[in-house]
Amino acid sequence: MQPNRPEVPRRISGAILNSLSAGVVPRTGLEYIAIGRKAEIDALLYDLSTVESGGSAFRLIVGRYGSGKS
């Protein structure tokens, strides 16, 4: 039995593949491909809560071209 996966509409999957093959961030459909980023998202949310409470935070996101920084 396969896990419950959302069905990607054909129009969106085409846009995603065209954008990725051109080396740019897709304008639509990121929710279908942004996986495995829990640690990064948790760290950024922690920084935002620190700033919200009057503190400060500084973070650099470094990676090669096409590594998913956007």
Side-chain angles (χ1 to χ4, degrees):
M1 178 179 251
Q2 293 207 6
N4 188 10
R5 296 181 189 165
E7 189 71 26
V8 181
R10 185 176 296 266
R11 177 183 60 83
I12 292 177
S13 65
I16 290 170
L17 292 174
N18 286 336
S19 295
L20 294 175
S21 66
V24 297
V25 177
R27 292 183 180 261
T28 184
L30 289 178
E31 64 274 14
Y32 296 107
I33 61 173
I35 58 170
R37 299 293 183 160
K38 183 164 176 24
E40 291 94 338
I41 291 170
D42 288 345
L44 290 171
L45 290 175
Y46 177 79
D47 289 348
L48 289 174
S49 68
T50 300
V51 171
E52 182 180 50
S53 64
S56 62
F58 180 81
R59 190 173 297 271
L60 296 173
I61 300 174
V62 179
R64 294 178 58 193
Y65 181 80
S67 64
K69 297 176 300 293
S70 297

